[in-house]
Amino acid sequence: MTTQIQVVMDYVLPRRCFKLLQLVVLIFGSVLSLLAVSGERPKIGLVLSGGGARGAAHIGVLKVLEAHRIPVDYIAGASMGSIVGGLYASGLTPAEIEHAIKTIDWNEVLRDDPDRADEPMIRKELTEQFSVGGKTGFRDGKVVLPEGLIAGQKILPILQAMTLPVAHVNDFSRLRTPFQAVATNIVTGDMQVLKSGDLARAMRASMAVPSIFTPTEIDGNLLVDGGLSNNIPIDIARAMGADVVIAIDISTPYLSRDEISNLLDITNQMTRILTGVNSQESLGMLSGKDILIRPSLGDISSADFHRADEAIPIGQSEAEKHLDDLKALSLDEQAWWKYVAAKNDILPSNLQIARATITNSSELDDRTIENLINTQAGETFNIEKVSEDLYNVHSLGNFSTVSYRMDHTADGVDLYFDAAAKSWGPNYLYFGIDMEGDLKGDNLVNLQLGYSREELNPRGGIWTSYAVIGAEPEITTHIYQPLSHKRGPFVATSLSMSRRNQGLYEAGHKFAEYRLKQSEASASIGWEFSRRSVIQLGVDRIHGRADVLIGDSALPEPDYDDGGVYVQYRYDSLNHRDFPSKGTLFNLWGRKSFDSFGADSEYEQYRMKAAKIFPIGDHRFGLVFHGGSTSSADSTIAGIFQAGGGPLLMGLRQGQLLGQHLAVAQMIYFKEYQPMPVLSGYIGGMLEYGGAYDERDDINVDNSIGSGSVFFAVTTPVGPLQLGVGAADNGQLNYYARIGHLF
């Protein structure tokens, strides 16, 4: 997020260093204005329609207007037209707007989630244990959905950074060019004209496409995309005082019959129809002296922000086709300087922070939020620092959006941090699928259903329970409770009951299968050093039974009890759990069983997982090691390691290798691709070497297995679906399909 803000800071805001030059221009213009022959010219209103990413064409039109000295006295915009129009009205040049549009990483900006590396460890651990594929709210026995797919957490700060020099201007008529934005009241359906307030919020409200972006609340009104009520606000420009209107229509055309194939397409088409109907009504208001510019944008869609470099010259070219009409409005050099001199001069504001206040609509204590905010009263407003504060609070995971607003006073600014709780929380339902299968009959499918109650108390306790239904049923409940408002101490408890199948193999062939039934309880105390590292000390108690499911009835069917003390250290900076592009994972776990804790035998066990993922261009590489050791062959079944199938040694069958010790090294490669505009996919491969061993001395070349696999994967609502083939150096070949983590 800070990178996006930095783009704005590095290019747009340094313009304030040229105030002296601007002053010279104004003085020169004023002198010329005294020498000019008085005469009235028509007031020109610029009307910019909505159309999403197609709105980049507006920038091309602005370039032509400025190149030919065509003045703009008023601007009215809807949706993306309000973004471009508002930025231009604030004083940004077409070149500056173009630079911002082209350099912003829109894929990142349109993602609300913070980088996984910056999420609290508890959220990472729960994701690790429970492959969550979807999440909805739950209230009063009903499922509650978010108000939109995108809350716009990263959009508003960028707009605020770009308009920071005019943040103190409350009346939009006092901007460098008088401006009004059009939004739609989602409650009443009425058009709402935004003439004052926070310019960035007004632009954000105007572009909030229903179901895609969450609505914006302004003065108690819930506002969405202005294009739904008035996509080409010609009447607004007239009301502002325009004698002549230059209207730019970049409306998205209707989808064809062949392009409508699903619910999203139908919803998209409905929005286009609503927009199209009011657009035609607005265009009927044009008179013979007005100018209508309609760039031919072809297949550039409202979501194609990466094609801005195509849309801008199209807008420029289309405007140049209307030069004969436009030049009739052009000013000579002298009159142009008079127009420049007459533009509203916006004085810099006092950005000394007088007061800093938190507005918190969640059930968390304000102190939890305060501890993550470094900006304090008495400081000079620093947008980079404030943006970092917003990111830190939002990374908690409790809020839909975290934003700021400023009230300008004689003392400076009153700064408000607004932390908006998720409207569909704090009760959540989870769902997902665990799937592993091959062509040899080892197939399992598990449906995962979960419930969590976040903000269990003001310190941020979380209660999570989930059930796995299918081949390996499980019921688990888990409570995590911080002991302080600051990052640091916490306690956790867990209780689970599970059943799973474990095959026994000889020479790659299954000769028996056990059904393992196990219940486990644990309690721990821990310390979160940062959002990337944590240590825990705990106790656990395990009871289980192994029943022969397939095989010789004479095989033993042991009951087992286990109990002991464990310690775990975890560091996790992976930016994604399934297919990370960068980051490090290190997990070290040690346990000592005691007969005084009810264990059948005393033994020690250690586990380790270490992974390093790094990018080289568009390619991703990873080095991963899985290790483990149990000190005694008398350990219970809980102390046995297994390997084979996902995610260890993909050339073997699931759980084919069992032993007291584990050592597997992996080299991973994958590359992301995009088979469809809204679908991500991956293609890659893996080299593995190692195994599970009965004795420590067995860990050698002769007893280890090499495995290689290739796969491709696509994202799904329940996680990435992997299809691949693995081959082991013992001659085994394994075709597999799975939903789950890569390693």
Side-chain angles (χ1 to χ4, degrees):
M1 180 60 201
T2 54
T3 302
Q4 306 297 333
I5 298 296
Q6 194 63 49
V7 168
V8 175
M9 298 294 295
D10 290 344
Y11 190 83
V12 176
L13 295 184
R15 295 174 60 248
R16 304 182 73 182
C17 299
F18 298 95
K19 287 295 184 182
L20 181 60
L21 178 61
Q22 292 178 347
L23 180 61
V24 172
V25 170
L26 291 172
I27 293 173
F28 181 62
S30 299
V31 172
L32 289 178
S33 69
L34 294 175
L35 302 175
V37 179
S38 62
E40 292 293 329
R41 65 169 179 83
K43 298 295 185 181
I44 300 171
L46 181 64
V47 177
L48 306 179
S49 80
R54 296 162 64 91
H58 292 319
I59 302 171
V61 176
L62 290 175
K63 286 184 173 184
V64 173
L65 297 182
E66 288 209 343
H68 294 276
R69 299 189 302 275
I70 299 163
V72 175
D73 300 289
Y74 310 103
I75 302 175
S79 196
M80 190 63 183
S82 75
I83 301 293
V84 177
L87 295 177
Y88 188 62
S90 72
L92 269 65
T93 68
E96 289 167 336
I97 301 172
E98 177 181 8
H99 179 84
I101 293 289
K102 286 184 176 181
T103 53
I104 288 174
D105 184 349
W106 289 99
N107 287 330
E108 177 63 24
V109 167
L110 296 176
R111 288 179 61 249
D112 285 322
D113 294 337
D115 192 312
R116 180 185 176 277
D118 299 321
E119 293 180 346
M121 286 294 295
I122 178 61
R123 296 189 181 276
K124 298 174 188 176
E125 292 173 359
L126 290 176
T127 304
E128 179 94 9
Q129 298 169 8
F130 180 47
S131 181
V132 177
K135 178 179 177 180
T136 62
F138 185 74
R139 185 185 303 133
D140 300 327
K142 299 179 181 179
V143 172
V144 183
L145 298 176
E147 296 173 327
L149 296 176
I150 302 171
Q153 171 62 29
K154 301 173 185 178
I155 294 174
L156 182 59
I158 289 176
L159 295 176
Q160 289 176 314
M162 297 180 75
T163 58
L164 183 61
V166 298
H168 62 291
V169 180
N170 185 264
D171 183 354
F172 299 165
S173 67
R174 293 184 57 246
L175 294 171
R176 293 284 291 169
T177 304
F179 169 73
Q180 293 183 12
V182 175
T184 303
N185 190 315
I186 193 63
V187 177
T188 65
D190 296 332
M191 176 183 70
Q192 189 143 342
V193 182
L194 302 174
K195 306 176 183 179
S196 61
D198 185 325
L199 177 60
R201 289 181 185 274
M203 294 189 290
R204 165 66 177 87
S206 182
M207 62 153 292
V209 180
S211 75
I212 303 299
F213 293 96
T214 58
T216 298
E217 185 173 346
I218 297 179
D219 297 331
N221 297 308
L222 209 57
L223 305 180
V224 297
D225 194 345
L228 296 178
S229 55
N230 193 350
N231 193 49
I232 313 176
I234 295 169
D235 55 335
I236 303 301
R238 294 248 196 255
M240 293 174 74
D243 301 308
V244 177
V245 168
I246 302 174
I248 298 95
D249 179 14
I250 48 93
S251 302
T252 307
Y254 295 165
L255 296 173
S256 67
R257 175 64 181 88
D258 295 338
E259 293 174 312
I260 301 175
S261 59
N262 55 55
L263 179 61
L264 291 177
D265 292 336
I266 294 174
T267 302
N268 187 7
Q269 184 79 325
M270 290 174 61
T271 302
R272 297 186 186 197
I273 291 172
L274 289 171
T275 302
V277 170
N278 74 65
S279 293
Q280 291 303 314
E281 293 178 357
S282 294
L283 293 175
M285 303 176 185
L286 292 174
S287 66
K289 61 184 179 180
D290 300 321
I291 300 171
L292 174 62
I293 300 174
R294 277 178 154 167
S296 300
L297 294 164
D299 64 345
I300 299 178
S301 76
S302 59
D304 289 337
F305 288 97
H306 62 285
R307 299 178 69 182
D309 57 343
E310 298 178 48
I312 292 172
I314 292 174
Q316 187 170 346
S317 176
E318 189 64 31
E320 289 172 346
K321 295 177 182 178
H322 295 264
L323 276 180
D324 289 343
D325 293 327
L326 290 172
K327 284 183 176 180
L329 304 172
S330 179
L331 302 179
D332 59 31
E333 193 77 27
Q334 180 177 298
W336 176 257
W337 284 112
K338 178 181 178 180
Y339 157 75
V340 172
K343 279 195 171 188
N344 294 332
D345 185 23
I346 300 173
L347 298 175
S349 62
N350 178 8
L351 293 182
Q352 190 77 12
I353 301 173
R355 287 163 287 276
T357 306
I358 294 172
T359 303
N360 170 28
S361 63
S362 76
E363 297 179 25
L364 290 180
D365 193 291
D366 287 352
R367 287 175 291 177
T368 301
I369 302 172
E370 289 170 356
N371 290 321
L372 298 173
I373 294 176
N374 294 315
T375 301
Q376 303 294 324
E379 300 178 353
T380 300
F381 181 89
N382 184 312
I383 193 168
E384 291 181 303
K385 189 174 183 180
V386 169
S387 297
E388 189 68 29
D389 291 338
L390 299 180
Y391 182 79
N392 288 337
V393 177
H394 186 253
S395 297
L396 281 175
N398 299 77
F399 303 101
S400 173
T401 58
V402 184
S403 59
Y404 78 88
R405 53 190 171 87
M406 293 188 292
D407 287 343
H408 294 263
T409 69
D411 301 331
V413 295
D414 290 343
L415 180 62
Y416 298 91
F417 290 94
D418 295 327
K422 295 177 179 178
S423 61
W424 62 100
N427 299 284
Y428 301 100
L429 295 177
Y430 297 86
F431 63 92
I433 292 177
D434 254 346
M435 185 185 78
E436 186 88 32
D438 57 35
L439 298 182
K440 299 178 181 178
D442 289 332
N443 302 303
L444 63 89
V445 177
N446 293 313
L447 174 65
Q448 298 175 319
L449 301 173
Y451 164 81
S452 74
R453 173 63 162 93
E454 300 190 2
E455 302 165 24
L456 195 61
N457 47 57
R459 290 186 178 178
I462 302 175
W463 172 38
T464 302
S465 296
Y466 62 88
V468 178
I469 304 170
E472 296 184 340
E474 179 180 354
I475 298 176
T476 295
T477 187
H478 180 275
I479 293 178
Y480 163 84
Q481 180 57 60
L483 300 178
S484 170
H485 297 287
K486 297 182 178 180
R487 182 183 299 117
F490 66 90
V491 294
T493 61
S494 177
L495 179 65
S496 68
M497 294 181 289
S498 64
R499 296 185 179 186
R500 64 179 180 89
N501 294 346
Q502 176 61 64
L504 300 181
Y505 295 83
E506 186 174 343
H509 299 285
K510 184 187 294 184
F511 67 88
E513 186 171 52
Y514 274 91
R515 184 68 161 177
L516 305 182
K517 305 174 183 177
Q518 184 168 293
S519 59
E520 180 176 357
S522 67
S524 66
I525 185 169
W527 189 278
E528 189 175 19
F529 298 103
S530 71
R531 293 185 176 181
R532 301 184 179 189
S533 65
V534 65
I535 191 169
Q536 285 179 263
L537 175 66
V539 296
D540 60 14
R541 183 76 168 82
I542 301 171
H543 174 75
R545 176 177 173 82
D547 296 322
V548 177
L549 190 64
I550 300 173
D552 191 340
S553 59
L555 289 170
E557 295 184 331
D559 287 335
Y560 59 92
D561 288 280
D562 208 338
V565 178
Y566 67 88
V567 61
Q568 181 180 27
Y569 173 78
R570 181 181 175 101
Y571 178 89
D572 189 348
S573 67
L574 299 177
N575 65 337
H576 196 278
R577 186 57 192 93
D578 295 322
F579 284 87
S581 60
K582 62 180 180 180
T584 301
L585 174 67
F586 182 75
N587 192 0
L588 183 62
W589 183 92
R591 182 177 179 277
K592 169 71 174 178
S593 68
F594 296 97
D595 54 13
S596 57
F597 281 61
D600 293 335
S601 62
E602 294 193 351
Y603 65 95
E604 298 174 4
Q605 187 178 61
Y606 305 94
R607 303 175 190 168
M608 185 183 76
K609 180 190 288 187
K612 178 65 178 178
I613 308 297
F614 53 93
I616 301 180
D618 295 333
H619 306 275
R620 308 290 183 256
F621 297 88
L623 299 174
V624 186
F625 177 76
H626 305 257
S629 179
T630 303
S631 63
S632 172
D634 294 329
S635 67
T636 66
I637 293 175
I640 297 176
F641 299 97
Q642 64 176 34
L648 292 176
L649 300 175
M650 298 300 297
L652 303 181
R653 299 180 68 176
Q654 186 68 33
Q656 181 175 327
L657 303 181
L658 300 175
Q660 300 292 122
H661 309 278
L662 176 73
V664 177
Q666 300 173 312
M667 296 178 60
I668 302 172
Y669 163 80
F670 63 91
K671 183 179 187 320
E672 187 173 358
Y673 67 99
Q674 199 166 22
M676 295 175 60
V678 295
L679 191 67
S680 294
Y682 307 88
I683 185 167
M686 185 183 302
L687 295 177
E688 304 173 271
Y689 189 78
Y693 312 87
D694 290 328
E695 301 289 342
R696 228 181 243 107
D697 293 341
D698 294 337
I699 305 176
N700 53 56
V701 174
D702 294 336
N703 295 317
S704 298
I705 294 176
S707 175
S709 59
V710 294
F711 62 85
F712 74 90
V714 294
T715 55
T716 74
V718 293
L721 171 62
Q722 302 174 44
L723 301 176
V725 57
D729 60 6
N730 64 358
Q732 287 187 238
L733 191 66
N734 185 34
Y735 297 91
Y736 64 89
R738 64 188 303 265
I739 293 177
H741 305 315
L742 179 60
F743 58 87

